[in-house]
Amino acid sequence: MGASGPTISSHRAAEILEQAAGKRAVVLGDMVLDEHIIGAARRLSREAPLPVIEQQERLLFPGAATNVATNLRGLGCEVTVAGVVGADSMADCLRDELERRGIRTEGLLPDPDRVTAVKLRIWAGGDRQRPQSMIARVDTLDRSAVKPETADQMASYLETAITETDALVISDYEAGVVSPSVLNAALPAARAAGLVVTADAHGGLARFRDATLLTPNQPEAEAELGREITSTADALNAAGELRQLVRVEAVLVTLGAAGMALDAGPCGREFIPAKFAGRVADPSGAGDTVAAAMTAALLGGATPVEAAALASLGARVVVRQLGVAVVSAEEIIRESREHFA
């Protein structure tokens, strides 16, 4: 294991991503609409010592599990989402945003008793003296478990969808969709069908026993193991412990600005340092990109080490953009060419 981490040539990256193009993936999880209000702080409010933001732009993006889906689609995969939304205007917006990107939404189940999850971020600044910065975030979420009848609908849908796909990606933001009944309907069937199964979950990693890949971040890995990760070597050891504990083929622990630690047993063990060229504009959604890129790479025949290297390149691209961002195959190949030739 070199100090600089694994490298991958642009030729090999292109080969893997070409093979991944057209592969099918179902993304199961929490469907969220990310809303961004971008403006300038001109004055203080008279009601409270807070800036008054004059709105200049409003942006809507698929977030959470749907951000994983859009990143898979950006890498050329055929993608279907499976989740629950409300019967409201925000659900219509989310559905429109997904379909505009070529993502199938027949698994997007409406529940009139829930609200569609929305994460609103407010940005201010933007002139030459003051770069954009996020000053507030407001989440509208229903964290209760979905109704039994909705869970049954989801389970029934997944039973069919899993027979028509190459990968199942479970993106659990703990908003009630990835219930035990839904997971029990999806996970054993996906394993039996030989799918690539990726779990990107905020907690309860033991639920995903025998999956292909886990992609926890550092706090999630620490919570599962009951201890802190304090060094590069410790991060690699933690990834190995999780791999054996949950009985998966590979674990990639994301460590923010420090990088990522991969343990894939006999298939490789590597620390991948983060190397961000340019200013980090917004790290939101980088973990979603990592999960999507590594899944796509595995579908394209990459080894776990190659897949982690590709995922790292994808993360470098998206953190340079405002809001949750989508990486393309062309951007990863270009990033590989610039860094590894």
Side-chain angles (χ1 to χ4, degrees):
M1 182 181 68
S4 61
T7 63
I8 186 165
S9 70
S10 58
H11 174 77
R12 179 58 179 151
E15 183 179 57
I16 291 167
L17 293 170
E18 182 178 352
Q19 291 297 315
K23 295 291 187 181
R24 302 162 300 175
V26 172
V27 178
L28 164 65
D30 296 306
M31 308 285 114
V32 175
L33 183 65
D34 279 346
E35 181 179 8
H36 295 261
I37 299 297
I38 300 171
R42 303 297 189 193
R43 57 190 173 84
L44 288 178
S45 169
R46 293 180 180 179
E47 293 86 359
L50 298 170
V52 175
I53 308 303
E54 294 184 7
Q55 180 175 323
Q56 298 168 330
E57 194 172 8
R58 177 176 181 252
L59 303 174
L60 298 174
F61 299 105
T66 55
N67 186 42
V68 177
T70 56
N71 274 275
L72 280 165
R73 182 66 184 139
L75 293 170
C77 296
E78 299 294 328
V79 185
T80 302
V81 292
V84 180
V85 291
D88 51 34
S89 62
M90 286 305 200
D92 295 336
C93 289
L94 181 57
R95 188 176 286 104
D96 289 345
E97 290 294 326
L98 291 168
E99 291 176 352
R100 186 169 63 82
R101 291 165 171 80
I103 296 170
R104 293 170 57 182
T105 60
E106 59 264 32
L108 203 59
L109 304 181
D111 182 346
D113 295 327
R114 296 178 76 87
V115 295
T116 299
V118 178
K119 294 184 179 180
L120 168 63
R121 296 171 174 88
I122 300 174
W123 301 78
D127 60 24
R128 284 176 292 180
Q129 284 75 40
R130 296 174 299 168
Q132 290 285 3
S133 58
M134 184 164 54
I135 64 167
R137 174 172 148 177
V138 181
D139 290 357
T140 302
L141 296 173
D142 184 347
R143 295 192 181 277
S144 64
V146 298
K147 295 184 299 190
E149 54 265 39
T150 305
D152 289 345
Q153 278 184 276
M154 181 62 64
S156 177
Y157 171 77
L158 288 167
E159 286 174 4
T160 300
I162 282 169
T163 66
E164 302 171 346
T165 194
D166 303 300
L168 172 67
V169 183
I170 304 167
S171 179
D172 182 14
Y173 276 71
E174 298 183 316
V177 171
V178 186
S179 64
S181 62
V182 169
L183 198 58
N184 290 339
L187 197 53
R191 289 195 302 256
L195 305 186
V196 171
V197 179
T198 297
D200 184 25
H202 282 212
L205 303 183
R207 295 174 292 162
F208 306 103
R209 187 174 298 278
D210 298 326
T212 308
L213 171 68
L214 287 182
T215 59
N217 61 27
Q218 182 173 345
E220 292 156 2
E222 290 174 336
E224 194 72 24
L225 294 172
R227 63 176 179 81
E228 291 187 356
I229 295 171
T230 58
S231 66
T232 296
D234 195 22
L236 285 166
N237 290 336
E241 289 175 43
L242 280 173
R243 182 181 62 81
Q244 295 180 50
L245 178 67
V246 189
R247 293 203 320 232
V248 296
E249 295 179 22
V251 172
L252 183 71
V253 179
T254 58
L255 305 161
M260 304 187 295
L262 170 75
D263 189 290
C267 294
R269 187 172 188 259
E270 288 279 359
F271 181 78
I272 304 104
K275 296 179 180 178
F276 299 123
R279 188 176 71 89
V280 174
D282 185 6
S284 300
D288 298 333
T289 298
V290 167
M294 192 153 182
T295 302
L298 292 174
L299 288 172
T303 66
V305 172
E306 289 175 327
L310 278 176
S312 177
L313 293 173
R316 294 184 196 186
V317 172
V318 299
V319 299
R320 297 197 294 260
Q321 303 175 52
L322 180 64
V324 294
V326 175
V327 69
S328 68
E330 292 76 15
E331 287 172 317
I332 288 180
I333 293 165
R334 183 169 60 249
E335 198 79 11
S336 178
R337 185 179 297 116
E338 290 175 358
H339 290 277
F340 304 134

